[in-house]
Amino acid sequence: MFGTRQTILSVLLAAVVAAQDAITANGGNFTLTGDDVSYLFHVDAANGDLISDHFGAPVTDFIPPAFILGWGWHDNQANDRREFPDIGRSDIRLPAIHIEHSDGDTVSAFLYKSHEIIPGKPSIPGFPATYGNDTDVTTLQVQLYDNVSDVSAVLSYSIFPKYNAIARSFKITNNGTGDIVIERAASFSFDFPNAEYDVIEPHGDWSHEMNTVRRKVDYGETGFRSTEGYSGHNHNPFYMLASSSTTESSGEAWGFNLVWTGSFEAAIEKASNGYVRALLGLNSLHTSIKVAPGESFQAPEAVAVYSSNGLGGVSRSYHDLYRNHLSRHQATMETRPILLNSWEGLSFDINDTALVDLAGQSADIGIELFVMDDGWFGLEYPRNNDSLGLGDWTPNPEKFPDGLGPYIADVTKIDVVNASTNASTGSQIKFGLWMEPEMVNLNSTLYNEHPDWVLHAGKHARTLTRSQLVLNVGLPEVQNFIIDSVSKILDSGAVSYVKWDNNRGMHELARPSDSYQYILGLYHVIDTLTTKYPNVLWEGCASGGGRFDAGLLHYWPQHWTSDNTDAADRLQIQLGTSLIYPPSAMGCHISKSPNGMTQRDTSFTYRGHVAMMCGSFGLELNPHELSEDEVAALPAIMDQAHRVNPLVIHGSFYRLAGPQESNWPAVQFVSQDGSQSAVFAFQQQYTTKPGAPPLRLQGLDPKARYWNDLDNGTYSGATYANAGINARFERGIYLSKLIWLEKR
């Protein structure tokens, strides 16, 4: 026992020492060191500016910069690699900070004043952010001052050595006597040296989120943004830079992610000198944020990750970091119940009797969580379609004459049956429901009483989308209304799960900064509710993946990945989402076939395998409508989903092949201890020739031997990695196999 205790203490002491050594300051030179990364910058002794030196594979020294002839219209500062670029002083590239000062000018000159190294990581009040203790993370805070405008800045750098990750944010304080206005704020900014880079970015729209495009970073600006008020479907606040030769599993790559749910802007600018400036922050069209004398502006946090092991290395660092040091919900590292959502089965046509019946059918096939979707609320304006009742969060008395409490009690008395044995599991089904608390219909009591509570721009028309308007969550009275409304529902019965939806963007803002204030208000609401109801499993949804972002992942452990449940489409959506967000945070369901959106016909097994690749697995259909073949396939799918879920929640994820590149996409999960692995292999279309390529597996111990249940063979990890394994698909389209490997 004493030896074990000594070992534990030695490990903890080593972790503390490593964390303390993660940041060093030598004069004006700053070095941040991770397990496989170095980040270096220094103070220019001549002018007090911060200069970027290196962000990449480990280095031990500062080297002189490249020689660039400074002649022309600009002086040498235009050729500096700047750490916190502002407006003026001959740097004509995009700035990280742009301020209109109280006298109307927009030139800034932030110069080094002092610094402090802090064990651990201070929180950012009111904002979601990464977190960790002294053994996980170390923080450097650099104080800057603009002596002309009497404005100060604090740059915060926190390094998580284990994940090769740097979290960065800044705060601007107005020390003058007049208002200043923040016009641009990029939380992360770094100037890379002259080299060949590609940018990999997600793109898409509703129902086809997180597709990816890779293109060369060339001279000029490359960028994208969301101006929807939210992170949005079309883009995500994330991108990767990669060396032109980088692949999924080898080469240098850098990831940049904004921990923010609002409008954002990403920009990569290659200057004439070859330097590449990477920026990520607020959308400058939705800033113009006024800061009064004595007050401060806080930029949201951005997280950058470096990997020398390709795109997959960046992804796995983000997955591990976000599961351990961003998402704070207790369910983050827990396996999830298999759920059934009522929407596909009943739509708006619901009442207590029909829902109890559907819950009973669900429990009979092994469903552990029954979710009541839209249509359950509204007094004066019963929610019988999507134009009525939104905002009136009172159970409809015609559908629920005794209220929600007795109905929920009836549901949660139902025993769950094991689909394979038809015997009771000894557990009762849990209950969850759908809400859309940030929205309101014109046809609602709430709107009639508070038309001024919605986002609008003076006398301009209030644009309806999906027959609804957006409540201005930046207003304290709206925040209190949402908190009270949701609390009353959760207090009315044993509610175990909430699906929090959002079905439109912000179209009219009275002022650009309304979006920023809205998101801060939303964080206050969600922080309050998730703290008050820690045992509720919260799932975010925004017409699918419209707000699948790191900001909400801080509070919620999972998000509905897309309204498109077509399994073939979902493969690309889920693999694209996995570039940055862990599969454990994705919600994915089996829906009916042919699919209601695409009319594509796929097997129950194929749909099941795609859905169980995510942390939250369930069904989006009416059990009565299952075919004989689907009923026959169901027990095996339910058993596999239970078995694979711990790997999805805790394991490492590898993209072996994607549907954009291959007719035979495949992914792999490997347990934390390396003793077990699950491989999902797919065949999209049948081809007589060529045959499917071997699956070259990753993440296994090359010297260990692993048995697989595909051919009942036992091979070394090196064999699986270098020779691969053949899935041996036969004739047919949309086929899939789940292959298990166990260490022997």
Side-chain angles (χ1 to χ4, degrees), residues 591-596 599-604 607 621 630:
S591 59
K592 65 182 180 180
S593 184
N595 182 267
Q599 294 300 300
R600 196 192 324 259
D601 195 0
T602 53
S603 73
F604 197 79
R607 283 175 277 152
L621 48 77
E630 290 172 332

Side-chain angles (χ1 to χ4, degrees), residues 534-558:
N535 295 321
V536 172
L537 177 61
W538 301 83
E539 178 173 281
C541 177
S543 292
R547 295 197 309 194
F548 202 134
D549 59 64
L552 290 179
L553 191 58
H554 177 71
Y555 306 100
W556 294 333
Q558 63 190 54

